[in-house]
Amino acid sequence: MTPLLPMLGAPPRASSAGNATAGNATELPADRFGRRLHDLRVSVTDRCNFRCVYCMPREVFGAQHAFLPSADLLTFDEIVRLVERFVGLGVQKVRLTGGEPLVRRGLEDLVRRLTAIDGIRDLTLTTNGALLSARADALAAAGLQRVTVSLDALDDPTFKRMNDARFPVARVLDAMGAAETAGLGPIKVNTVVRRGVNEHAVLDLARHFRGSGRIVRFIEYMDVGHTNGWRLAEVVPADEILTRIDSIFPLEPISPTYRGEVARRYRYRDGAGEIGVVASVTQPFCGDCNRARLSADGKVYTCLFATAGHDLRALLRGGVADATLDSAIRTLWGSREDRYSELRTAGTADLARVEMSYIGG
Ligand code: SAM
Ligand code: SF4
Ligand code: SF4
């Protein structure tokens, strides 16, 4: 990790793409590989009402687990202030996540305040859907634009094997409907695929959501954190997922909508809509990775697999000026060299990575 304060104001080294930023506070920072900051994921809590086995296994995140005390969480004032700084430096997309973002009380107020920030083009939320039906109208009224809802299977037994919570699939589907009615569509559906657990759900979900306007994104099971016991053998490669779907419902690729889009997009040749695959393990996309993550306690992580974050909360609570915050963000992004997925080897497995429920998925 780069220490923030000693480096404040130091210009970043020239990037490989030759477009590093210099002194102008309004210019976008580029990192050492020329990647420009575009997306910010804001984790509003490290808590969750599910215990997905690939994210927060119950044996680790049980009754004794020490979640962040509420005094450590960024307040809404602090989140808004940081998001304003990031947007001023070029962030255009903000996604609220967690943990489960809807367990954070009053999230609609945060959404309303973020909506008012000039320069955010896209304000979205990723949720497991459990609390969404009751909140969709209020979230839409507050200005939320879209939601992504995670769903790993269409049958209850498999869904339970993935999320380790007794929550019926039907209620997640109802939540998607409520979100669409509230104007939060088109819905994206995130599905983590794990070998031997929910492989059969790939075709179930493709069949179910074809023609619905909902876009399923099949995600390769990733080695985030240390608690999920990840093994490469449990990853179902995106190409295999595509082959399975294409053999029943023929597909063709679609161009990305913007540089750095994580999901590779495909449409059904018969016009029944589209799907995406996120091949973070088998076809890493670090070269275009333009996102930063803000943890619930105010640390910025420039990679999902980072071993340490940059503590902006300490600066905020120390009474820092906006210009100093901007310099800190420019410095940390300008010195960024992350490309974990491209470098993934047996040797990287032991790095002290943070958990996804903390850093924000
Ligand atoms: N709780 C919300 C939810 O589940 O949608 C938001 C946070 S969750 C960490 C964000 C996304 O990360 C979810 O779609 C989840 O499936 C995905 N995810 C969590 N652990 C993962 C892993 N080990 N590999 C791939 N995706 C993962
Ligand atoms: Fe909770 Fe989302 Fe992690 Fe599942 S993936 S445990 S719903 S934070
Ligand atoms: Fe971005 Fe890190 Fe993932 Fe590479 S491994 S795509 S740098 S978050």
Side-chain angles (χ1 to χ4, degrees):
M1 178 177 61
T2 307
L4 289 182
L5 285 170
M7 289 189 65
L8 291 179
R13 233 167 47 191
S15 73
S16 57
N19 55 355
T21 55
N24 183 348
T26 61
E27 274 179 29
L28 302 177
D31 71 8
R32 288 187 177 172
F33 296 118
R35 300 169 294 189
R36 293 201 174 270
L37 180 59
H38 184 269
D39 289 16
L40 180 67
R41 303 204 151 203
V42 179
S43 172
V44 293
T45 178
D46 60 337
R47 293 169 192 259
C48 186
N49 44 3
F50 282 10
R51 285 292 177 271
C52 300
V53 289
Y54 50 80
C55 178
M56 297 179 76
R58 205 173 278 284
E59 331 57 279
V60 180
F61 295 88
Q64 304 307 317
H65 182 75
F67 289 100
L68 292 169
S70 52
D72 285 3
L73 298 182
L74 291 182
T75 64
F76 287 172
D77 282 349
E78 289 170 332
I79 293 175
V80 170
R81 184 162 176 219
L82 287 180
V83 172
E84 279 172 350
R85 301 324 318 151
F86 275 100
V87 169
L89 290 166
V91 161
Q92 297 184 11
K93 289 183 65 175
V94 175
R95 178 172 294 276
L96 299 176
T97 180
E100 171 49 43
L102 293 181
V103 305
R104 176 90 186 245
R105 202 169 303 144
L107 194 74
E108 292 80 355
D109 293 337
L110 178 64
V111 168
R112 188 171 299 106
R113 293 181 61 184
L114 294 176
T115 306
I117 297 175
D118 208 17
I120 297 187
R121 292 222 187 128
D122 206 15
L123 179 64
T124 59
L125 171 88
T126 303
T127 173
N128 60 28
L131 301 171
L132 182 60
S133 288
R135 310 272 291 277
D137 284 338
L139 287 163
L144 190 71
Q145 287 164 300
R146 283 181 298 105
V147 288
T148 296
V149 182
S150 301
L151 180 64
D152 295 331
L154 273 179
D155 63 288
D156 283 325
T158 310
F159 190 42
K160 170 146 193 338
R161 281 184 73 199
M162 293 296 276
N163 66 26
D164 200 12
R166 293 187 188 284
F167 198 83
V169 170
R171 284 180 56 195
V172 181
L173 296 174
D174 287 349
M176 292 182 197
E180 281 163 346
T181 305
L184 294 172
I187 306 272
K188 288 189 179 146
V189 180
N190 273 3
T191 302
V192 176
V193 186
R194 194 167 175 186
R195 176 85 69 202
V197 183
N198 70 333
E199 279 171 89
H200 65 277
V202 169
L203 273 181
D204 291 354
L205 290 160
R207 186 176 287 110
H208 180 86
F209 287 115
R210 268 167 52 80
S212 71
R214 299 173 186 168
I215 301 168
V216 189
R217 296 180 323 170
F218 297 98
I219 304 173
E220 289 181 350
Y221 174 37
M222 287 186 285
D223 49 337
V224 270
H226 270 293
T227 57
N228 62 15
W230 181 88
R231 288 184 304 120
L232 186 58
E234 291 175 317
V235 177
V236 181
D239 281 348
E240 184 181 326
I241 293 169
L242 289 169
T243 304
R244 283 184 192 211
I245 299 173
D246 181 62
S247 67
I248 310 287
F249 306 114
L251 294 166
E252 62 190 3
I254 332 180
S255 314
T257 21
Y258 62 93
R259 188 171 176 201
E261 188 168 35
V262 164
R264 281 163 41 206
R265 300 167 59 209
Y266 293 82
R267 69 177 149 234
Y268 294 110
R269 287 182 188 268
D270 65 1
E274 70 172 85
I275 60 155
V277 285
V278 182
S280 8
V281 178
T282 61
Q283 296 165 55
F285 36 79
C286 301
D288 280 340
C289 180
N290 55 18
R291 51 181 60 170
R293 292 178 160 82
L294 179 63
S295 70
D297 60 351
K299 294 196 176 74
V300 175
Y301 290 84
T302 53
C303 178
L304 192 50
F305 300 92
T307 52
H310 308 264
D311 189 1
L312 293 187
R313 191 191 64 192
L315 296 185
L316 280 176
R317 294 190 181 174
V320 76
D322 283 348
T324 312
L325 273 177
D326 288 353
S327 294
I329 295 167
R330 291 166 59 77
T331 298
L332 70 88
W333 189 266
S335 56
R336 175 182 189 244
E337 297 183 308
D338 304 295
R339 51 192 194 103
Y340 174 90
S341 286
E342 286 181 354
L343 303 173
R344 182 184 279 111
T345 63
T348 53
D350 295 330
L351 294 175
R353 296 185 300 267
V354 290
E355 297 297 325
M356 194 153 180
S357 53
Y358 162 73
I359 196 177

